[in-house]
Amino acid sequence: MKDNSYHIFRKVHLYASLSIVVFLLMYLVTSYLMIHGDWFQTYFHEDEVAEIMVDPSEISKDNWAQFMDKYHIRGRLTKEHISSTGDLQREYTTAGKNFRITVFKDQNLVEIKTIKRNTAGTLVGFHRIRGFGGPLQYDLYAIMLDLVGVSLILFAITGMILWLKLLKYNLAAWIVLISGFVYVSAIVAYLLIV
């Protein structure tokens, strides 16, 4: 490998690692908060229920965005269904809050249940956000997660290339490298079987 190529691989390896470190730390901390939810009261939340009399035109499809703004409903639509009684139920989710909205079928009544998480719960909410859809910030977050995935792949590939360049005749280095492949393969195989 030429010196110029080696330096390019080193820079790609460095920048890929820098782009993933923040997300890896976030996932490490939030995983700990999830595992020890009792210690941090991660799953503690405050519920607030409001019943609002509405005119049917207020909750029509054309005016739904204004209704959400008026009652400070934020987030991405995560669930929508009709209950067995014919009531429309929608759930909007953010990292720190959930909004469960029930539009009753035969009444001019809407129930808004706000579920507010504490700080630990909000951090775990960032851990669980995934996918595209909803307001712009959710799409940007999904793009960042995709870029982190690409960075992880580049980090692994360039790390292998650098490893093989520096330690190509070292038996211990080959044993460590092969052991890593065996370990990861065994974990993946176990998860696929179970």
Coordinates of all heavy atoms in Angstrom, one line a residue, residues 33-75:
L33 N -29.9 3.3 31.2 CA -31.1 3.8 31.8 C -32.3 2.9 31.7 O -33.2 2.7 32.5 CB -31.5 5.2 31.2 CG -30.6 6.4 31.6 CD1 -30.9 7.6 30.8 CD2 -30.6 6.7 33.0
M34 N -32.3 2.1 30.5 CA -33.3 1.2 30.3 C -33.2 -0.1 31.2 O -34.1 -0.6 31.7 CB -33.3 0.8 28.8 CG -33.8 1.9 27.9 SD -33.4 1.6 26.2 CE -34.7 0.4 25.7
I35 N -31.9 -0.5 31.3 CA -31.6 -1.7 32.1 C -31.9 -1.5 33.6 O -32.5 -2.3 34.2 CB -30.2 -2.2 31.9 CG1 -30.0 -2.7 30.5 CG2 -29.8 -3.2 32.9 CD1 -28.5 -2.8 30.1
H36 N -31.6 -0.3 34.0 CA -31.8 0.0 35.5 C -32.9 1.0 35.6 O -32.8 2.1 36.3 CB -30.5 0.5 36.1 CG -29.4 -0.5 36.0 ND1 -29.4 -1.6 36.8 CD2 -28.2 -0.6 35.3 CE1 -28.3 -2.3 36.6 NE2 -27.6 -1.7 35.6
G37 N -34.0 0.8 35.0 CA -35.2 1.7 35.0 C -35.7 1.9 36.4 O -36.2 3.0 36.7
D38 N -35.6 1.0 37.3 CA -36.1 1.2 38.7 C -35.2 2.2 39.4 O -35.7 3.0 40.2 CB -36.0 -0.1 39.5 CG -37.0 -1.1 38.9 OD1 -38.0 -0.7 38.2 OD2 -36.9 -2.3 39.2
W39 N -33.9 2.2 39.2 CA -33.0 3.2 39.8 C -33.3 4.6 39.4 O -33.3 5.5 40.2 CB -31.6 2.9 39.5 CG -31.0 1.5 40.1 CD1 -31.7 0.6 40.8 CD2 -29.7 1.0 39.8 NE1 -30.9 -0.5 41.0 CE2 -29.7 -0.2 40.4 CE3 -28.6 1.5 39.1 CZ2 -28.5 -1.0 40.4 CZ3 -27.5 0.7 39.1 CH2 -27.5 -0.6 39.7
F40 N -33.5 4.8 38.1 CA -33.6 6.1 37.6 C -35.1 6.5 37.3 O -35.3 7.6 36.8 CB -32.9 6.2 36.2 CG -31.4 6.0 36.4 CD1 -30.8 4.7 36.0 CD2 -30.5 6.9 36.9 CE1 -29.5 4.5 36.2 CE2 -29.2 6.7 37.0 CZ -28.7 5.5 36.7
Q41 N -36.0 5.6 37.7 CA -37.4 5.9 37.4 C -37.7 6.2 36.0 O -38.4 7.1 35.6 CB -38.0 6.9 38.4 CG -37.9 6.6 39.8 CD -38.6 7.6 40.7 OE1 -38.6 8.8 40.4 NE2 -39.1 7.2 41.8
T42 N -37.0 5.5 35.1 CA -37.0 5.7 33.7 C -38.4 5.7 33.1 O -38.8 6.4 32.2 CB -36.1 4.7 32.9 OG1 -34.8 4.8 33.5 CG2 -36.1 4.9 31.5
Y43 N -39.2 4.7 33.6 CA -40.6 4.5 33.1 C -41.6 5.2 33.9 O -42.8 5.0 33.7 CB -40.8 3.0 32.9 CG -39.8 2.4 32.0 CD1 -38.8 1.6 32.6 CD2 -39.8 2.6 30.7 CE1 -37.8 1.0 31.8 CE2 -38.8 2.1 29.9 CZ -37.8 1.3 30.4 OH -36.9 0.8 29.6
F44 N -41.2 6.1 34.8 CA -42.2 6.9 35.5 C -42.7 8.0 34.6 O -42.0 8.6 33.8 CB -41.5 7.6 36.7 CG -42.4 8.5 37.5 CD1 -43.4 8.1 38.3 CD2 -42.3 9.9 37.3 CE1 -44.3 9.0 39.0 CE2 -43.1 10.8 37.9 CZ -44.1 10.3 38.7
H45 N -44.0 8.3 34.6 CA -44.5 9.3 33.8 C -45.8 10.0 34.5 O -46.4 9.3 35.3 CB -44.9 8.9 32.4 CG -45.8 7.6 32.4 ND1 -47.1 7.7 32.6 CD2 -45.5 6.3 32.2 CE1 -47.6 6.5 32.5 NE2 -46.6 5.6 32.3
E46 N -46.0 11.2 34.1 CA -47.2 11.9 34.6 C -48.3 11.9 33.5 O -48.0 12.2 32.3 CB -46.9 13.3 35.0 CG -45.9 13.4 36.1 CD -45.5 14.9 36.3 OE1 -46.1 15.8 35.7 OE2 -44.5 15.1 37.1
D47 N -49.5 11.5 33.9 CA -50.6 11.5 32.9 C -51.5 12.7 33.2 O -51.8 13.0 34.3 CB -51.4 10.2 33.0 CG -50.6 9.0 32.6 OD1 -49.4 9.2 32.2 OD2 -51.1 7.9 32.8
E48 N -51.9 13.3 32.1 CA -52.9 14.4 32.2 C -54.0 14.2 31.1 O -53.7 14.0 30.0 CB -52.1 15.7 31.9 CG -52.9 17.0 32.0 CD -52.1 18.2 31.7 OE1 -51.1 18.4 32.4 OE2 -52.5 18.9 30.8
V49 N -55.2 14.2 31.5 CA -56.3 14.0 30.6 C -57.2 15.2 30.5 O -57.6 15.8 31.5 CB -57.2 12.7 31.1 CG1 -58.3 12.5 30.1 CG2 -56.3 11.5 31.2
A50 N -57.5 15.6 29.3 CA -58.3 16.7 29.1 C -59.5 16.3 28.1 O -59.2 15.7 27.1 CB -57.5 17.9 28.5
E51 N -60.7 16.7 28.4 CA -61.8 16.5 27.6 C -62.3 17.8 27.0 O -62.5 18.7 27.8 CB -63.0 15.8 28.3 CG -62.6 14.3 28.7 CD -63.8 13.6 29.3 OE1 -64.8 14.2 29.6 OE2 -63.7 12.3 29.3
I52 N -62.4 17.8 25.7 CA -62.7 19.1 25.0 C -63.9 19.0 24.1 O -64.0 18.0 23.3 CB -61.5 19.5 24.1 CG1 -60.2 19.6 25.0 CG2 -61.7 20.8 23.4 CD1 -59.0 19.5 24.2
M53 N -64.9 19.9 24.3 CA -66.0 19.9 23.4 C -65.6 20.6 22.1 O -65.0 21.7 22.2 CB -67.2 20.6 24.1 CG -67.7 20.0 25.3 SD -68.3 18.3 25.1 CE -69.7 18.6 24.1
V54 N -65.9 20.0 21.0 CA -65.5 20.6 19.7 C -66.6 20.6 18.7 O -67.6 19.9 18.9 CB -64.3 19.8 19.1 CG1 -63.0 19.9 20.0 CG2 -64.7 18.3 18.9
D55 N -66.4 21.5 17.8 CA -67.3 21.5 16.6 C -66.7 20.5 15.6 O -65.5 20.4 15.5 CB -67.4 22.9 16.0 CG -68.3 23.0 14.9 OD1 -69.5 23.1 15.1 OD2 -67.9 22.9 13.7
P56 N -67.5 19.7 14.9 CA -67.0 18.7 14.0 C -66.0 19.3 13.0 O -65.1 18.6 12.5 CB -68.2 18.1 13.3 CG -69.3 18.2 14.3 CD -69.0 19.5 15.1
S57 N -66.2 20.5 12.6 CA -65.4 21.1 11.6 C -64.0 21.4 12.1 O -63.0 21.4 11.4 CB -65.9 22.5 11.1 OG -66.0 23.4 12.1
E58 N -63.8 21.5 13.5 CA -62.5 21.8 14.1 C -61.6 20.5 13.9 O -60.4 20.7 13.9 CB -62.7 22.0 15.6 CG -63.2 23.4 15.9 CD -63.2 23.6 17.4 OE1 -62.1 23.9 18.0 OE2 -64.3 23.4 18.0
I59 N -62.2 19.4 13.9 CA -61.4 18.1 13.9 C -61.5 17.4 12.5 O -61.1 16.3 12.4 CB -61.8 17.2 15.0 CG1 -63.3 16.9 14.9 CG2 -61.4 17.7 16.4 CD1 -63.8 15.9 15.9
S60 N -61.9 18.2 11.5 CA -61.9 17.6 10.2 C -60.5 17.5 9.7 O -59.6 18.0 10.2 CB -62.7 18.5 9.2 OG -62.0 19.7 9.0
K61 N -60.4 16.7 8.6 CA -59.0 16.5 8.0 C -58.3 17.8 7.6 O -57.1 17.9 7.9 CB -59.2 15.6 6.8 CG -57.9 15.1 6.2 CD -58.1 14.1 5.1 CE -56.8 13.6 4.5 NZ -57.0 12.7 3.4
D62 N -59.1 18.7 7.1 CA -58.5 20.0 6.7 C -58.0 20.9 7.8 O -57.1 21.6 7.7 CB -59.5 20.8 5.8 CG -59.9 20.1 4.5 OD1 -59.0 19.3 4.0 OD2 -61.0 20.3 4.0
N63 N -58.7 20.7 9.0 CA -58.4 21.6 10.1 C -57.6 20.9 11.2 O -57.4 21.4 12.3 CB -59.7 22.2 10.7 CG -60.4 23.1 9.7 OD1 -59.7 23.8 9.0 ND2 -61.7 23.1 9.8
W64 N -57.2 19.6 11.0 CA -56.5 18.9 12.0 C -55.2 19.5 12.5 O -54.9 19.5 13.7 CB -56.3 17.4 11.5 CG -55.8 16.6 12.6 CD1 -54.5 16.1 12.8 CD2 -56.5 16.1 13.8 NE1 -54.4 15.3 13.9 CE2 -55.6 15.3 14.5 CE3 -57.8 16.2 14.2 CZ2 -56.0 14.7 15.7 CZ3 -58.2 15.6 15.4 CH2 -57.3 14.9 16.1
A65 N -54.4 20.1 11.5 CA -53.2 20.7 11.9 C -53.4 21.9 12.9 O -52.7 22.1 13.8 CB -52.4 21.2 10.7
Q66 N -54.5 22.7 12.6 CA -54.8 23.8 13.5 C -55.2 23.3 14.8 O -54.9 23.9 15.9 CB -55.9 24.7 12.9 CG -55.4 25.5 11.6 CD -55.5 24.7 10.4 OE1 -55.9 23.5 10.3 NE2 -55.3 25.3 9.2
F67 N -56.0 22.2 14.9 CA -56.4 21.6 16.1 C -55.2 21.2 17.0 O -55.1 21.5 18.2 CB -57.3 20.4 15.9 CG -57.8 19.7 17.1 CD1 -58.8 20.2 17.9 CD2 -57.1 18.5 17.5 CE1 -59.2 19.5 19.1 CE2 -57.5 17.9 18.7 CZ -58.5 18.4 19.5
M68 N -54.2 20.6 16.3 CA -53.0 20.1 17.0 C -52.3 21.3 17.6 O -51.8 21.3 18.7 CB -52.1 19.3 16.1 CG -52.7 17.9 15.8 SD -51.7 16.9 14.7 CE -50.1 16.9 15.6
D69 N -52.1 22.4 16.8 CA -51.4 23.6 17.2 C -52.1 24.2 18.4 O -51.5 24.6 19.4 CB -51.3 24.6 16.1 CG -50.2 24.2 15.1 OD1 -49.3 23.4 15.4 OD2 -50.3 24.8 14.0
K70 N -53.4 24.3 18.3 CA -54.2 24.9 19.4 C -54.1 24.2 20.7 O -54.0 24.9 21.8 CB -55.7 24.9 19.0 CG -56.6 25.6 20.0 CD -58.1 25.6 19.5 CE -59.0 26.3 20.5 NZ -60.4 26.3 20.0
Y71 N -54.0 22.9 20.7 CA -53.8 22.1 22.0 C -52.4 21.6 22.2 O -52.2 20.7 23.0 CB -54.9 21.0 22.0 CG -56.3 21.6 22.0 CD1 -57.1 21.6 20.9 CD2 -56.8 22.1 23.2 CE1 -58.3 22.2 20.9 CE2 -58.0 22.7 23.3 CZ -58.8 22.7 22.1 OH -60.1 23.3 22.2
H72 N -51.5 22.2 21.5 CA -50.0 21.9 21.7 C -49.7 20.4 21.6 O -48.9 19.9 22.4 CB -49.6 22.5 23.1 CG -49.9 23.9 23.3 ND1 -49.4 24.9 22.6 CD2 -50.9 24.5 24.1 CE1 -49.9 26.1 23.0 NE2 -50.8 25.8 23.9
I73 N -50.2 19.8 20.6 CA -50.0 18.4 20.3 C -48.8 18.3 19.4 O -48.9 18.9 18.3 CB -51.2 17.7 19.8 CG1 -52.3 17.7 20.8 CG2 -50.8 16.2 19.4 CD1 -53.7 17.4 20.2
R74 N -47.7 17.6 19.7 CA -46.5 17.6 18.9 C -46.2 16.1 18.6 O -46.7 15.2 19.2 CB -45.4 18.2 19.7 CG -45.6 19.7 20.1 CD -45.3 20.6 18.9 NE -45.5 22.0 19.3 CZ -46.6 22.7 19.0 NH1 -47.7 22.1 18.4 NH2 -46.7 23.9 19.4
G75 N -45.2 16.0 17.7 CA -44.7 14.7 17.5 C -45.1 14.0 16.2 O -45.7 14.7 15.3

